[in-house]
Amino acid sequence: MLAKLIIRFVSIKQMAKLSVNINKIATLRNARGGNNPNLLKVASDCEKFGADGITVHPRPDERHVRRTDVLELKKILTTEFNIEGYPSRPFMELVTEVKPAQVTLVPDSPDQLTSNHGWDTVENRDFLIGIIKELHNAGIRASVFVDASVEMVRGAAMCMADRVELYTEPYARMYSPDPDAAIAPFIEAAQAARQCGLGLNAGHDLSLDNLEFLCRNIPWIDECSIGHALVCDALYLGMEKTVREYKKCCQAHSDK
Ligand code: PXP
């Protein structure tokens, strides 16, 4: 009985959290210039449906989530707030004012369509150390977006990051033809993160097809940050069912 309880406790503790990226909701709202869909309501509803956190990526051109959205979201969210972005001065001013639970640093250029690679944590070490120090001084957890590379994960640890977020697009792309080959470099990078004492996040192109396999093979993932596929699925399934389905995938390993 005691052993069972311990196993249950460990498995609950290790469950990957789901942070819903609501950028696409803002894109839809901005298409007509009004407030439909209402970003704050969608964020609150996602929390109500079981999301463990909300992610936004305010870009300099404000083409989806705006600076004002970030300030408003901070007031109403009851789960973890994660803000992604390139650490420009305006971005750092925004996040140190808002003080989300976590900032995920991405190496995007201002006009980039979407994040498509992780940091070179060796080349950018001094820059990242300075930025992460600023985040820590504001009481914010720092996660660094990296490719599935042991060297880049170790580099992030040298920058004093708290977590890495593995860029999972290559995993998602290769998953369908060959899941084992797709996951292999991610397991290796995830093991390196664990050895360095880093927390572990994952994101980009995760979906109902590939998420469970990822979480089952890397059960120490702390958080998956998911937007595009989740919003697309919500068009057919509805947001409530969609969030619940993604949560089930995140919990896959704890049932086994
Ligand atoms: N993580 C990072 C760093 C991102 O830039 C994005 C896209 O905004 C995501 C995760 C979510 O990716 P997707 O929208 O493909 O789920």
Side-chain angles (χ1 to χ4, degrees), residues 36-49:
N36 189 24
N38 180 321
L39 193 71
L40 300 185
K41 176 165 170 24
V42 174
S44 284
D45 284 341
C46 287
E47 291 184 320
K48 202 164 69 194
F49 301 150

Side-chain angles (χ1 to χ4, degrees), residues 57-249:
H57 191 147
R59 291 183 185 272
D61 59 7
E62 299 202 315
R63 66 179 185 264
H64 36 65
V65 167
R66 303 174 185 135
R67 183 190 154 79
T68 48
D69 293 325
V70 177
L71 298 170
E72 290 302 311
L73 281 163
K74 169 66 182 182
K75 291 185 205 154
I76 59 128
L77 293 182
T78 56
T79 59
E80 272 208 13
F81 194 16
N82 173 43
I83 306 181
E84 304 168 350
Y86 179 82
S88 62
R89 269 303 103 200
F91 178 85
M92 290 303 288
E93 280 160 21
L94 177 63
V95 297
T96 50
E97 179 186 342
V98 170
K99 295 194 184 7
Q102 176 175 273
V103 163
T104 301
L105 301 170
V106 295
D108 293 2
S109 57
D111 55 352
Q112 202 155 318
L113 186 61
T114 183
S115 308
N116 61 6
H117 62 281
W119 286 94
D120 184 329
T121 54
V122 177
E123 191 116 305
N124 295 285
R125 180 171 300 164
D126 291 343
F127 175 66
L128 286 171
I129 286 175
I131 292 293
I132 290 169
K133 220 179 259 170
E134 266 186 73
L135 294 175
H136 285 168
N137 287 342
I140 302 167
R141 188 169 73 225
S143 179
V144 174
F145 194 53
V146 290
D147 295 333
S149 146
V150 170
E151 189 191 2
M152 292 306 126
V153 169
R154 288 188 182 144
M158 302 283 279
C159 298
M160 311 306 289
D162 303 290
R163 292 189 183 181
V164 284
E165 179 179 324
L166 297 181
Y167 171 50
T168 46
E169 191 274 340
Y171 161 74
R173 191 165 14 93
M174 207 197 277
Y175 174 77
S176 178
D178 192 343
D180 290 327
I183 196 83
F186 286 83
I187 293 176
E188 214 188 324
Q191 282 167 340
R194 191 161 61 171
Q195 282 156 9
C196 295
L198 288 167
L200 184 65
N201 297 343
H204 227 285
D205 294 286
L206 296 177
S207 70
L208 288 177
D209 290 334
N210 58 41
L211 181 60
E212 183 189 332
F213 189 77
L214 180 80
C215 293
R216 190 147 34 89
N217 280 280
I218 310 177
W220 60 98
I221 290 178
D222 291 297
E223 176 189 292
C224 294
S225 161
I226 308 180
H228 185 84
L230 188 152
V231 172
C232 293
D233 288 332
L235 292 175
Y236 286 92
L237 304 176
M239 188 56 95
E240 180 164 8
K241 183 157 197 286
T242 301
V243 170
R244 295 200 202 289
E245 292 298 313
Y246 275 82
K247 282 274 289 189
K248 259 191 243 163
C249 294

